[in-house]
Amino acid sequence: MTDIYQNKHATIEERVADLLSRMTIEEKIGQLTQLPASVEGNTEKLEEWHIGSYLHCTGDTAIRLQERAAKTRLGIPLIFGIDAIHGHCFDNDATVFPTQLAASSSWDRELIRDMAKVTAKEVRATGIHWTFSPVLCVGRDARWGRINETYGEDAWLIGEMAVEAIKGYQGERFSSPDSILACAKHYVAYGETVGGRDAYEADVSRRKLKALFLPPFKKAVQEAHVASLMAGYHANDGVPCTADKWLLTDVAKTDWGLDGFIVTDWENVTSLYTKQKVSASIEEACYRALVSGNDMMMSTVEFYETAVRLVKDGRVDEAVVNDAVIRILTKKFALGLFDDMRFYCPDRHEVLGIPAHRDLALQASLKSIVMLKNDGILPLTPSKDLRVLVTGPNADDVIAQLGDWSFGSMQAGATDDQFHRDKTVTTLQAFQAAAKHYGFQVEYVKGADCLDEEFEQVAELDRALENADVVIACVGDTLAQNGEFHDRANLDLTGKQQALLERIKAAGVPLIVNLVASKPMTIPWIAEHANALLCGFNSGTQGGEAIKRVVFGEYNPSGKLTISFPYHVGQLPVFYNKYEGWHAQHSQHTEFKERYIDMPEQPLFCFGEGLSFSQFEYRDIALKQRVIEPHSDIELSLTVTNQSDIDGTDIVQVYFNDHFSSVTTPIKTLCGFQRVAIAAKESVEVTMTVKFSDLALVNAELEEVVEAGAFSLMVGASSKDEDLHTLDFEVTQTTTVSS
Ligand code: BGC
């Protein structure tokens, strides 16, 4: 007779309970242990330590390990995690999408979901079932190396996008071939670390955690039922995330009802002892990690043996371990790993990088492009006598274009002609193909390098400039300048890039800048002197093709920034949802504004900003009710007209402000948006709903409350005051939304 846990007709609860009752303490702790398969010696530990999970498996490693796991006493399958962050990018056949920061500029919920669906299919087809994505960190300091991994600076928008991504990854049923577990990370406030220093201490109070950083995670748990959370590296207000019982157990599991599991980040448990020094020994660190609510420990090699001892010595109650094991096994059963899905691995050529997936990558790249300046030069007419000079370090650099998390541990040795090269269309390649198609001339001189101070092809450049009608300069940063361990103190263009741009300007040839970068850079010179500026950040394999389409008007750009561009690094952090009360320039002048004495207070480019070839006009903006009763959502309507003779898409944004409140609140907070496609000369009626609960603040008692009184709703094309129309309304009663 088959054991209950092996009977696929029994419920998951019955199967888990049966299996748990058969497990030794060693087997249980093994389920809580996750090791990187890429580090020598770790895969050998599979049987001895009853390992439950590996990360970073490439090639057929996952399948080979799974075969070994099937032969163990209880045959418990492994679960494999991977950083499929913007596609299953460690696999050279996979589809590489724009990074989160780039894709967020699309403000397109459906797109974010579809990208995740494709990623799930490709990941699952390689025998892996879990991605460490999406990143829900609030990206407010561009110096931080990992800013490219975020959905930008607004917590509400991050939550909206996270819900889509998680639903896309997880699908309807975990046991289907297009479903994987998602992991919302890094729980919580990781992006807020001081000075943009990765994994540094975050100086964040509980009130601020509740007001700003926890809400996207709460949405991920409650609206998208995310299967896992990853505890951040850092400490908030002195408490490392991995040692924070309040955060892990009380908030995520008890208050929100997380039914998935919590994995630590890399060596978090070891760090409690070796780096953060809140535990005086590895035993103490393991003890603290277990009792705080971490379920799976990533890459802490000491964990297995130490934890077994802690339970055997009676220091850790076995019930704590059981709870974690149940959470992990429940997901393994749900994924079908005990049944048919353990070795699921169809012919990879039927799934990875197939044309439909590549088409979606192109859509994603197109929708991610933000046009930040256009003096009328765009779109260009591709006439036969046009002479285009393509230049800049990122015109033909696959590694710079794709950005971080495309090469994994091979990052250091990755070369431009090796990885994803035949899947990727760089800007140069796209222009060369267009030149053939339309019959114009294209020349390429690299002209500068992101890293090399010496490199400059001055003579070739000058000669090419003499023969050019227009220049497409692809500048920005490269992989060595972003990602984990790559924080920057300076956000100017590096190498000879600025000199290259100035030389083009001096030659008097019209200049179109294509910013291929992982982050906002300090580019006031470009904003002032370029004729046009396009930004696609790290725009995926089809990024070059997308830029070409925008330049020639084959696609009308619609992207809008989800992150502010500072004028100067000294402005950081700078974001749209700031607070009033900065000590203004005190003077007798009537016009006294908050500002630095040596620089504007506003960023160079603001959150929500982005141009189109169309012009849109907003009118008849109306609220259905101006007096809002508790728990009634706010209904809003408006008409948007496309006044141009070209079809376009606008992203209508809605912000609110609470006039007077018991604690300080931001001057404006995003609470709604809608992508609206409008044909040339047509109008579209738009209706939108703002949720009552989204008006809540967190008061000094840490309650989420919508306070009675006057509010404004601001509707428009960006977060800039001049783009917004304001309507006032009133909330009748102070209402607790959640405690
Ligand atoms: C990163 C995580 C990642 C993990 C596994 C860590 O260094 O902080 O975001 O998921 O490694 O690769």
Side-chain angles (χ1 to χ4, degrees):
M1 215 182 79
T2 38
D3 296 329
I4 296 174
Y5 83 91
Q6 283 166 332
N7 175 2
K8 58 170 132 174
H9 303 295
T11 65
I12 289 182
E13 290 72 23
E14 288 164 346
R15 299 178 79 179
V16 170
D18 178 60
L19 180 53
L20 191 72
S21 71
R22 297 167 192 274
M23 291 169 78
T24 62
I25 188 62
E26 286 82 0
E27 284 162 339
K28 290 178 183 176
I29 297 292
Q31 287 303 305
L32 276 50
T33 308
Q34 183 187 58
L35 295 178
S38 46
V39 174
E40 222 187 303
N42 282 345
T43 54
E44 280 88 271
K45 293 288 182 195
L46 194 161
E47 291 84 2
E48 187 190 341
W49 285 358
H50 317 280
I51 299 295
S53 176
Y54 281 100
L55 75 155
H56 291 177
C57 293
T58 48
D60 61 358
T61 314
I63 298 299
R64 281 191 282 109
L65 291 172
Q66 199 67 286
E67 282 165 357
R68 279 170 54 193
K71 292 187 194 131
T72 57
R73 188 178 81 90
L74 294 165
I76 304 176
L78 288 156
I79 188 168
F80 298 105
I82 196 134
D83 293 279
I85 304 288
H86 50 120
H88 190 21
C89 309
F90 295 172
D91 192 302
N92 206 26
D93 291 330
T95 308
V96 181
F97 291 107
T99 53
Q100 273 195 208
L101 185 62
S104 68
S105 313
S106 70
W107 299 60
D108 190 328
R109 293 183 162 95
E110 212 182 317
L111 175 74
I112 301 289
R113 192 186 286 219
D114 289 346
M115 283 166 47
K117 265 189 205 162
V118 164
T119 304
K121 263 192 204 154
E122 297 196 357
V123 167
R124 190 90 196 216
T126 57
I128 296 175
H129 338 96
W130 180 22
T131 178
F132 302 129
S133 169
V135 169
L136 274 58
C137 303
V138 181
R140 302 205 301 186
D141 194 323
R143 292 171 295 181
W144 183 38
R146 305 189 71 173
I147 199 95
N148 63 312
E149 294 181 52
T150 72
Y151 287 127
E153 72 189 31
D154 183 78
W156 185 85
L157 186 63
I158 291 168
E160 294 297 292
M161 297 204 172
V163 166
E164 298 303 331
I166 293 162
K167 287 186 173 169
Y169 286 133
Q170 300 191 164
E172 296 293 313
R173 263 184 321 119
F174 283 126
S175 58
S176 67
D178 57 358
S179 170
I180 53 175
L181 307 187
C183 180
K185 69 185 190 184
H186 307 81
Y187 188 59
V188 63
Y190 177 46
E192 194 70 358
T193 54
V194 174
R197 295 175 206 129
D198 189 34
Y200 205 71
E201 190 92 359
D203 198 7
V204 181
S205 66
R206 275 205 183 166
R207 201 192 71 78
K208 199 151 183 197
L209 285 179
K210 286 197 84 173
L212 187 65
F213 299 104
L214 287 169
F217 286 93
K218 186 177 181 183
K219 269 190 196 169
V221 172
Q222 297 194 325
E223 290 178 33
H225 307 290
V226 71
S228 64
L229 300 180
M230 185 186 293
Y233 278 133
H234 62 295
N236 291 313
D237 198 14
V239 186
C241 297
T242 286
D244 194 342
K245 179 176 172 295
W246 172 80
L247 187 68
L248 307 180
T249 302
D250 302 352
V251 175
K253 293 181 178 173
T254 309
D255 294 354
W256 298 346
L258 172 76
D259 70 351
F261 59 95
I262 299 179
V263 62
T264 72
D265 204 340
W266 190 275
E267 290 180 5
N268 269 16
V269 183
T270 324
S271 293
L272 297 178
Y273 164 49
T274 57
K275 290 186 187 157
Q276 291 158 323
K277 301 186 194 292
V278 295
S279 303
S281 64
I282 191 70
E283 283 75 22
E284 285 310 308
C286 292
Y287 170 81
R288 200 147 171 201
L290 277 168
V291 298
S292 298
N294 303 275
D295 300 304
M296 190 184 280
M297 320 301 152
M298 182 193 289
S299 196
T300 288
V301 273
E302 304 89 343
F303 175 76
Y304 171 80
E305 287 172 335
T306 313
V308 169
R309 235 181 8 254
L310 284 170
V311 180
K312 287 193 167 168
D313 292 351
R315 278 211 65 204
V316 171
D317 189 342
E318 194 163 342
V320 171
V321 176
N322 286 349
D323 179 67
V325 176
I326 290 169
R327 287 171 183 274
I328 294 163
L329 289 180
T330 300
K331 292 295 177 252
K332 289 189 176 181
F333 278 109
L335 284 161
L337 301 185
F338 283 84
D339 310 320
D340 314 327
M341 292 305 290
R342 181 193 291 245
F343 298 115
Y344 176 75
C345 229
D347 182 358
R348 52 189 291 124
H349 298 294
E350 285 169 18
V351 183
L352 269 72
I354 58 174
H357 295 181
R358 250 196 244 195
D359 288 351
L360 184 69
L362 175 59
Q363 284 310 311
S365 303
L366 288 165
K367 288 177 170 176
S368 304
I369 292 173
V370 187
M371 184 160 73
L372 289 166
K373 183 176 182 188
N374 182 18
D375 68 359
I377 192 172
L378 295 179
L380 290 182
T381 309
S383 61
K384 287 209 176 344
D385 51 3
L386 181 71
R387 296 166 309 164
V388 181
L389 169 61
V390 176
T391 185
N394 292 347
D396 192 36
D397 186 329
V398 176
I399 290 178
Q401 181 171 318
L402 301 185
D404 200 17
W405 292 117
S406 306
F407 306 101
S409 38
M410 299 171 286
Q411 213 138 311
T415 63
D416 205 359
D417 51 1
Q418 223 183 331
F419 291 96
H420 299 293
R421 178 44 103 165
D422 60 342
K423 305 271 177 309
T424 305
V425 182
T426 62
T427 308
L428 176 64
Q429 288 171 323
F431 274 77
Q432 284 169 336
K436 276 197 193 132
H437 177 76
Y438 289 116
F440 62 79
Q441 256 185 54
V442 64
E443 189 166 0
Y444 168 59
V445 178
K446 185 173 173 186
D449 191 87
C450 289
L451 302 175
D452 190 345
E453 282 294 337
E454 302 304 318
F455 182 68
E456 209 184 351
Q457 297 163 300
V458 181
E460 286 102 313
L461 181 71
D462 288 347
R463 186 198 41 75
L465 283 169
E466 276 174 27
N467 296 317
D469 299 314
V470 64
V471 177
I472 314 291
C474 304
V475 294
D477 65 12
T478 193
L479 191 56
Q481 295 170 303
N482 78 75
E484 225 172 323
F485 308 108
H486 295 96
D487 308 320
R488 289 183 65 178
N490 180 348
L491 298 176
D492 293 343
L493 292 173
T494 48
K496 284 279 184 280
Q497 297 186 86
Q498 183 62 32
L500 167 71
L501 296 178
E502 289 180 22
R503 203 160 187 105
I504 297 165
K505 186 73 193 167
V509 186
L511 171 63
I512 297 166
V513 173
N514 171 22
L515 189 69
V516 179
S518 63
K519 55 175 63 195
M521 304 195 67
T522 42
I523 48 170
W525 186 94
I526 296 179
E528 190 181 341
H529 297 287
N531 298 84
L533 169 59
L534 299 170
C535 171
F537 293 111
N538 297 117
S539 54
T541 46
Q542 303 302 306
E545 173 65 18
I547 286 290
K548 184 271 297 179
R549 290 194 188 190
V550 170
V551 167
F552 290 115
E554 297 162 13
Y555 184 83
N556 189 359
S558 58
K560 303 219 183 190
L561 292 179
T562 59
I563 192 160
S564 304
F565 273 55
Y567 270 94
H568 183 275
V569 77
Q571 264 184 323
L572 290 172
V574 64
F575 40 85
Y576 85 94
N577 43 354
K578 60 175 189 160
Y579 291 79
E580 234 155 0
W582 180 6
H583 219 154
Q585 296 301 298
H586 236 306
S587 78
Q588 49 293 63
H589 304 305
T590 43
E591 198 216 346
F592 69 92
K593 283 200 122 206
E594 296 171 337
R595 64 174 176 84
Y596 291 104
I597 55 169
D598 49 4
M599 180 170 315
E601 162 275 335
Q602 286 290 338
L604 177 64
F605 297 113
C606 293
F607 178 84
E609 197 173 336
L611 301 167
S612 160
F613 295 141
S614 307
Q615 293 80 45
F616 301 104
E617 189 204 53
Y618 288 55
R619 65 188 160 77
D620 304 334
I621 304 173
L623 288 178
K624 201 161 171 194
Q625 308 92 356
R626 293 237 177 198
V627 177
I628 307 296
E629 300 295 338
H631 302 295
S632 321
D633 294 340
I634 301 163
E635 290 168 70
L636 167 82
S637 60
L638 65 145
T639 303
V640 187
T641 304
N642 179 351
Q643 293 174 313
S644 70
D645 50 13
I646 159 166
D647 298 350
T649 295
D650 193 20
I651 296 162
V652 180
Q653 299 157 45
V654 185
Y655 300 84
F656 78 93
N657 171 253
D658 186 348
H659 291 194
F660 294 97
S661 39
S662 62
V663 290
T664 55
T665 54
I667 56 163
K668 49 177 92 96
T669 304
L670 185 75
C671 56
F673 69 90
Q674 208 171 109
R675 276 178 69 88
V676 190
I678 317 175
K681 303 285 180 207
E682 295 283 317
S683 295
V684 169
E685 310 280 316
V686 179
T687 55
M688 297 172 77
T689 303
V690 173
K691 277 197 203 144
F692 181 79
S693 55
D694 283 339
L695 304 176
L697 52 76
V698 175
N699 66 19
E701 287 71 45
L702 303 187
E703 298 152 336
E704 286 168 51
V705 182
V706 179
E707 292 184 346
F711 285 74
S712 293
L713 216 56
M714 291 158 264
V715 184
S718 87
S719 68
K720 289 200 276 192
D721 286 343
E722 55 270 36
D723 286 339
L724 293 169
H725 306 259
T726 302
L727 299 166
D728 291 339
F729 66 94
E730 181 148 345
V731 169
T732 57
Q733 266 181 54
T734 296
T735 312
T736 302
V737 179
S738 98
S739 53

